[in-house]
Amino acid sequence: MSARFAGSCVVTIALLCGSCIARGDSPAPKAAEGDWTMPSGDYASTRFSPLAQINGTNVGKLAVAFTFDTGVNRGQEAAPIVVGDTMYIVTPYPNVLYALDLSKPGAPLKWKYEPHPEAAAQGVACCDVINRGAVYWQGKVFINTLDGNTVGVDAATGKQLWKTRLGDINKGESITMAPLVVKGKVLVGNSGGEFGVRGWIAALDAATGKIAWKAFNTGPDKDVLIGPAFKPFYPSDRGTDLGVASWPPEAWKIGGGAVWGWISYDPQLDLIYYGTANPGPWNADQRPGDNKWTSGMFARDPDTGQARWFYQFSPHDLHDYDAINESILLDMPVNGVRRKVLLRAERNGFFYVMDRATGQVLSADPYGFVNSILRIDLKSGRAIYNPAMQPKAGRVTRHICPASPGAKDWNPSAFSPRTGLVYIPHINLCMDEEPSEVNYIAGTPYVGMDERMYAGPGGNRGVVTAWNPVLRKAAWEIKEDLPVWSGALATAGDLVFYGTMDGWFKAVDARTGALKWKFKTGSGIIGQPVSYRGPDGRQYIAVLSGVGGWAGAIVVGNLDPRDATGASGFVNATRDLKDKTGPGGTLYVFALPQ
């Protein structure tokens, strides 16, 4: 999407009749020249392409237009970025940034930029050495490196413009998220909740790389940038220095709450929205209290970083339910009244519709199997935990659903204004848990929980759900054998694209879920598909293939499938993955035959 159009409006949907699904009554922001400048596609995080050349009648003819080997066979979670005649790809560690020339056959290399991150950063990456993508803004490309740096690169030449260190790998900090540029500020957060880091989000001047503001997610109000403008909807989030008072003494300093997921921006309200990750350690007995401001989301002023409101999805998080998932910004009817809302398929298994001006929860419904939380109390906003599923020292608590990766992990949903549906790529896993006492040592794991994950009800480990946010129920659902760890893409051709961990790239009908096309790539797909218009005027679909991440750790880490606790218990759920796919690192780009 052209930078001048990115986020220029918020998608709206309207309910046409009581029995039909929500349908778009205005288009998503149009992608100028078919560009795709940020992983989310737009500031509203719809991941919707208005291109319709590829549709349900011809998608069966889709074929490979070209491929590109990244040279890094680790988890490929990034979204390709396209501006004009150039595609930009950032790899997992060592975070090489490639620029490909789309105006020439085979898209040859224009240039590459190598940031040379510190090798020691690989040791503090909890869940593979992944990177979730670059962002383009006004002639510059911005990337994050695993060792805690943000870099500005000249988009035309690949020359480094500036490099700013934000994280400290000696404390266990890394950066894996994709940055976002809002009003000339590059927004970045840290990873490392499993190492007892203190979570933060920072804004850098896009021209110079200088830090404009930095807000922590634990600690006193002055550090969290909570001031007079902070007006949370629920009383439990009101008070002075709750980021200290809701923790044991000094525990907030190593309390997690990292920012490794997605940021959305509403230019009308002039607010950014982002989620905060799990508190540390996972053993909740060691941190009595609500543990603010973790496992929730902030709305902030992008100019100053000052907090406007906060909502906590999982107070005193019991199960590692990081709240870092994407927020899709829509205007839609709620009980017959049009509201400015944000939609979240949250890790705790509930689909939230929230007022994005105030932080009020308007509805919250399970979109998968959930027994760890009984319900969301709309009056207080609090999750009502199931006492039978709370981990206790000295016992194994069995069949907790969803497991720690949640009903959906980081991999983003997509929204189509044509159908009014949210397309959720997610997982169906449960787990057994047993907490243990853990001590904090800087730069080492700070978890205190043994886990074993396995398939949830039905035996399938993955799901793609089309969710109607107005009717508050699923329109259709696809069950997949393996966890679905890729992002989703919706297009104006009424198609939804996603990948599977055994390497299939699929297109399904956006209205019915019927399979329309599939292609077997060389490795499992955990990347984010995008669509763009090439210099030749044709529509293309692009995705990176390369298994990895937390779900694919058994393959890229060559872990022993007999170790049920490997990769924090994920190995037990994907013992067979080595038999279905191998490591990879290839870009695949598809188009219709000429």
Side-chain angles (χ1 to χ4, degrees):
M1 181 168 294
S2 169
R4 65 181 181 273
F5 287 109
S8 61
C9 63
V10 173
V11 180
T12 65
I13 61 176
L15 188 62
L16 297 182
C17 63
S19 61
C20 60
I21 64 171
R23 181 181 174 88
D25 61 4
S26 72
K30 290 185 178 179
E33 309 302 328
D35 290 354
W36 193 280
T37 66
M38 60 185 78
S40 59
D42 52 39
Y43 280 143
S45 296
T46 65
R47 290 175 170 84
F48 173 79
S49 169
L51 303 180
Q53 185 182 96
I54 301 168
N55 55 54
T57 63
N58 59 25
V59 68
K61 299 178 182 178
L62 211 59
V64 175
F66 67 89
T67 63
F68 178 78
D69 186 349
T70 68
V72 182
N73 289 343
R74 300 290 298 201
Q76 306 283 335
E77 292 188 356
I81 297 301
V82 177
V83 182
D85 64 359
T86 307
M87 175 182 286
Y88 304 93
I89 304 166
V90 61
T91 74
Y93 178 91
N95 305 133
V96 180
L97 176 64
Y98 291 104
L100 307 181
D101 190 343
L102 300 177
S103 68
K104 297 179 181 178
L109 183 68
K110 275 188 173 182
W111 52 257
K112 70 175 179 178
Y113 166 73
E114 297 179 274
H116 300 292
E118 295 181 54
Q122 298 171 89
V124 297
C126 87
C127 313
D128 199 5
V129 294
I130 58 87
N131 185 290
R132 296 191 176 92
V135 65
Y136 173 90
W137 186 79
Q138 294 190 1
K140 304 176 185 67
V141 179
F142 304 97
I143 64 170
N144 293 319
T145 62
L146 190 67
D147 64 345
N149 286 277
T150 299
V151 187
V153 177
D154 184 279
T157 65
K159 178 183 177 181
Q160 178 180 303
L161 301 174
W162 52 260
K163 186 175 187 178
T164 302
R165 177 170 291 282
L166 293 170
D168 183 353
I169 59 175
N170 293 317
K171 294 180 179 178
E173 285 185 304
S174 57
I175 301 180
T176 57
M177 70 174 292
L180 183 70
V181 182
V182 172
K183 301 174 72 175
K185 291 181 174 62
V186 185
L187 302 173
V188 181
N190 63 342
S191 301
E194 281 64 52
F195 291 82
V197 305
R198 186 184 178 199
W200 49 258
I201 184 172
L204 310 179
D205 183 280
T208 66
K210 292 182 179 179
I211 298 176
W213 54 260
K214 186 175 185 179
F216 289 93
N217 297 323
T218 64
D221 290 351
K222 63 181 179 61
D223 292 359
V224 186
L225 300 188
I226 287 176
F230 183 62
K231 300 183 185 303
F233 186 84
Y234 296 101
S236 60
D237 297 319
R238 302 172 195 160
T240 301
D241 291 334
L242 295 183
V244 174
S246 62
W247 292 85
E250 306 298 303
W252 57 269
K253 294 180 179 179
I254 51 174
V259 182
W260 56 269
W262 301 107
I263 306 171
S264 298
Y265 173 59
D266 181 346
Q268 297 171 352
L269 296 177
D270 196 23
L271 292 175
I272 60 168
Y273 305 90
Y274 72 92
T276 62
N278 62 285
W282 288 12
N283 182 353
D285 290 341
Q286 293 186 228
R287 45 174 173 80
D290 275 0
N291 309 135
K292 298 190 184 300
W293 305 92
T294 65
S295 296
M297 70 175 303
F298 274 107
R300 291 188 184 272
D301 182 320
D303 294 316
T304 65
Q306 286 292 315
R308 295 288 183 84
W309 58 258
F310 175 86
Y311 171 75
Q312 195 165 31
F313 295 99
S314 299
H316 186 61
D317 179 21
L318 300 174
H319 304 298
D320 184 39
Y321 290 161
D322 301 51
I324 55 75
N325 292 3
E326 69 288 345
S327 296
I328 300 173
L329 310 185
L330 305 177
D331 293 346
M332 62 170 261
V334 178
N335 298 324
V337 178
R338 183 167 296 278
R339 303 286 292 264
K340 294 181 179 298
V341 304
L342 63 82
L343 310 180
R344 285 177 68 95
E346 190 51 51
R347 190 156 164 172
N348 67 12
F350 285 81
F351 189 95
Y352 288 78
V353 178
M354 300 177 63
D355 185 306
R356 67 177 182 273
T358 67
Q360 179 186 9
V361 177
L362 304 175
S363 65
D365 304 282
Y367 62 92
F369 182 76
V370 181
N371 67 15
S372 58
I373 296 173
L374 300 175
R375 61 186 175 88
I376 308 301
D377 178 27
L378 297 186
K379 184 177 180 180
S380 67
R382 294 181 72 87
I384 308 302
Y385 294 121
N386 183 350
M389 294 299 158
Q390 295 188 31
K392 298 292 183 183
R395 79 174 192 196
V396 176
T397 304
R398 301 189 185 279
H399 199 61
I400 302 168
C401 310
S404 288
K408 187 178 81 64
D409 203 271
W410 72 276
N411 45 319
S413 307
F415 170 80
S416 171
R418 291 175 53 83
T419 65
L421 301 177
V422 179
Y423 303 96
I424 309 170
H426 60 115
I427 55 183
N428 176 41
L429 297 179
C430 300
M431 66 181 174
D432 301 339
E433 281 192 324
E434 183 178 12
S436 59
E437 192 78 14
V438 62
N439 294 316
Y440 172 77
I441 302 174
T444 64
Y446 184 55
V447 177
M449 189 74 71
D450 289 327
E451 294 188 346
R452 290 168 176 79
M453 303 182 205
Y454 42 84
N460 58 297
R461 292 166 284 181
V463 193
V464 177
T465 298
W467 186 267
N468 187 316
V470 176
L471 300 183
R472 298 170 55 183
K473 64 180 183 180
W476 52 257
E477 186 175 86
I478 299 169
K479 295 181 178 180
E480 293 283 359
D481 174 34
L482 291 163
V484 180
W485 209 255
S486 84
L489 167 72
T491 74
D494 288 341
L495 295 170
V496 176
F497 292 86
Y498 70 95
T500 66
M501 290 191 68
D502 53 356
W504 287 103
F505 190 44
K506 297 184 179 183
V508 300
D509 187 290
R511 299 183 186 278
T512 67
L515 180 65
K516 308 297 289 187
W517 170 85
K518 64 179 181 178
F519 179 89
K520 187 66 179 293
T521 66
S523 181
I525 298 174
I526 61 169
Q528 304 167 60
V530 306
S531 180
Y532 68 93
R533 181 181 291 121
D536 57 2
R538 300 164 68 199
Q539 181 183 2
Y540 292 84
I541 307 292
V543 71
L544 283 160
S545 168
V547 78
W550 191 8
I554 186 173
V555 176
V556 295
N558 193 26
L559 303 180
D560 188 339
R562 295 169 297 181
D563 180 6
T565 64
S568 297
F570 220 129
V571 165
N572 197 58
T574 53
R575 293 177 185 271
D576 56 342
L577 189 58
K578 284 185 178 182
D579 299 327
K580 298 176 182 294
T581 192
T586 302
L587 168 75
Y588 288 82
V589 179
F590 303 89
L592 297 172
Q594 287 182 301

